[in-house]
Amino acid sequence: MVASPLVRGDLFSIALCSALALACNDPAGPVAGRKVEPRVAPPPIGRAQIAPPLIDRSDTSRVVLRDPTSLASTQVDLYRQADGVVDILWIVDTTGSMENQRRSLAGNFDRFIQTLVRLNTRFQIGVTTGDMSSTGERGALRGRVKIIDNDTPDPREVFRENTTFPGSRKRWLQALRAMERSLTDRSLADAPGKPNYGFLRPGAALAVIAVTDGDDESFGGTAWYARLLRGVKGKGYENLVSFSTIAGTLPEGCWPPGEESYFGSKAAPAVRLSDLARRTGGVVASICDETFEGSLVRIAEALSTLKRIFPLSLPPVADTLSVTVNGVPIREHPVQGWQYRPEVNSVTFPGDYVPPPGAELRLFYAIDSP
């Protein structure tokens, strides 16, 4: 029997692989086009030696903790000035015994206006009387110009006209009842053309000033009228109201200058009006002053709602405090600028300069590190 050529080739390949110690992937032997790869023995693996780590402790020493470097810290306090808007209702006694006092009041009214302007106050001023009779004002504002404001030409002359009355012997003064109607009766102010229309402004402070040489004879206690005033501005704005009076002094009244010999000219003590002023933080001045200049300045300054004291949140380092108003630096000066009061830790404006309504204040200073 003779083997085929294919069988003889395969036997020859097997023999050749064995002779050359070659490994063949195909146990059937090489075939044309197939690659023959060598057989590789795996590498030898020895036993691993595991030993503990060696630590060099020769340079180890104690760690010393030190305080961080002390750095200057700064603080900025920001404030917004109040709006400085006030509505002022004057209630003036119409009786004949008040003629000289009304004339003096009008003659010194310029100082009242000048003080309001100096304090950057936007004001509205109206005048009524305490006459609640059928022929009286009953709370309505008087005059051709019923509301005096910052733009009124010659405000003193307008005020004089509005406080000039014909001779009268009326003695029944109801200033508080007139105040109530003037501020709360909507029929006086509900439409253009009404006497009190536009007098009360939302957000404005409200001040009432009664001028008389007698005491009030309205029905109701002063505590009730104090609540009435606060209620006019509404909840949250109660501190924007005040009642002041220029009247007879306590406890016995007083004599106006030059009228000591006239029967019935003595000003009665204004017990009720003074009590209402006390309840609302107002000013009590004497109707018997020779001029009302000082009293008018005091009242005008009290009416300003602009803040003069601005507390600091932390104690400052001396000589590091700076103040800017609307981005403009303000110098430290007792009259034309600010001062620091350490006893209350506050920046104050004690002189002629007051930050204007709505101004933004920036108080910058360094503080001691703890």
Side-chain angles (χ1 to χ4, degrees):
M1 180 176 181
V2 180
S4 67
L6 179 58
V7 174
R8 286 199 303 269
D10 290 342
L11 293 176
F12 175 77
S13 298
I14 294 172
L16 180 61
C17 288
S18 299
L20 297 177
L22 298 176
C24 299
N25 287 336
D26 191 348
V31 179
R34 291 185 180 177
K35 182 179 178 182
V36 178
E37 296 183 0
R39 184 173 295 172
V40 180
I45 299 176
R47 184 180 298 276
Q49 299 294 326
I50 300 176
L54 297 177
I55 301 175
D56 185 1
R57 301 180 183 273
S58 59
D59 293 333
T60 303
S61 61
R62 182 182 298 275
V63 177
V64 178
L65 299 178
R66 300 182 183 277
D67 292 333
T69 304
S70 179
L71 299 175
S73 300
T74 59
Q75 174 70 18
V76 177
D77 294 333
L78 300 177
Y79 286 96
R80 182 183 180 276
Q81 178 62 286
D83 291 330
V85 182
V86 60
D87 299 326
I88 307 167
L89 176 66
W90 287 81
I91 305 176
V92 181
D93 191 340
T94 63
T95 55
S97 61
M98 280 283 297
E99 182 177 356
N100 291 338
Q101 286 70 38
R102 289 193 298 266
R103 187 180 302 113
S104 180
L105 181 68
N108 290 278
F109 190 69
D110 277 346
R111 285 303 307 274
F112 181 76
I113 295 293
Q114 291 167 4
T115 304
L116 293 176
V117 172
R118 175 175 59 83
L119 296 174
N120 296 305
T121 303
R122 298 197 299 275
F123 57 84
Q124 288 193 163
I125 299 173
V127 176
T128 190
T129 73
D131 187 354
M132 289 296 292
S133 68
S134 59
T135 59
E137 281 72 23
R138 298 179 58 82
L141 300 185
R142 285 177 50 83
R144 293 181 296 107
V145 179
K146 299 187 183 303
I147 297 178
I148 304 170
D149 59 22
N150 299 69
D151 300 322
T152 301
D154 198 356
R156 181 178 65 175
E157 178 59 23
V158 175
F159 187 78
R160 187 195 64 78
E161 291 179 2
N162 293 353
T163 55
T164 299
F165 308 97
S168 172
R169 294 182 176 273
K170 294 180 181 178
R171 298 298 302 175
W172 194 24
L173 177 68
Q174 293 183 298
L176 299 186
R177 188 177 169 203
M179 174 188 73
E180 175 191 0
R181 187 163 191 268
S182 182
L183 300 176
T184 63
D185 192 331
R186 298 305 304 167
S187 67
L188 295 176
D190 59 359
K194 296 296 183 68
N196 295 15
Y197 180 78
F199 176 67
L200 290 178
R201 293 171 291 177
L206 171 62
V208 180
I209 307 170
V211 183
T212 179
D213 59 358
D215 199 9
D216 182 74
E217 299 177 1
S218 303
F219 300 108
T222 55
W224 185 87
Y225 285 105
R227 291 194 300 271
L228 169 76
L229 271 178
R230 298 186 182 102
V232 169
K233 299 309 300 182
K235 188 175 182 181
Y237 297 92
E238 296 89 349
N239 62 335
L240 292 180
V241 300
S242 67
F243 180 91
S244 298
T245 187
I246 302 176
T249 58
L250 301 179
E252 297 180 356
C254 58
W255 294 92
E259 299 183 14
E260 294 85 355
S261 60
Y262 292 99
F263 177 77
S265 62
K266 183 179 181 180
V271 177
R272 284 168 54 82
L273 300 179
S274 298
D275 184 64
L276 182 56
R278 178 186 61 81
R279 291 177 181 272
T280 59
V283 174
V284 176
S286 175
I287 194 68
C288 299
D289 287 346
E290 188 169 355
T291 69
F292 295 118
E293 181 178 355
S295 298
L296 292 176
V297 170
R298 284 176 55 209
I299 293 174
E301 290 179 339
L303 297 186
S304 174
T305 61
L306 299 182
K307 293 180 289 187
R308 288 177 172 266
I309 301 176
F310 299 88
L312 301 181
S313 56
L314 295 168
V317 174
D319 302 326
T320 66
L321 184 59
S322 65
V323 177
T324 61
V325 176
N326 289 333
V328 178
I330 305 299
R331 64 173 174 160
E332 184 176 3
H333 192 274
V335 178
Q336 299 300 328
W338 58 271
Q339 285 190 314
Y340 172 65
R341 292 179 56 191
E343 67 275 13
V344 291
N345 192 36
S346 299
V347 167
T348 65
F349 294 86
D352 293 338
Y353 177 78
V354 182
E360 293 183 357
L361 281 77
R362 184 177 185 269
L363 313 181
F364 175 87
Y365 53 96
I367 58 176
D368 284 326
S369 299

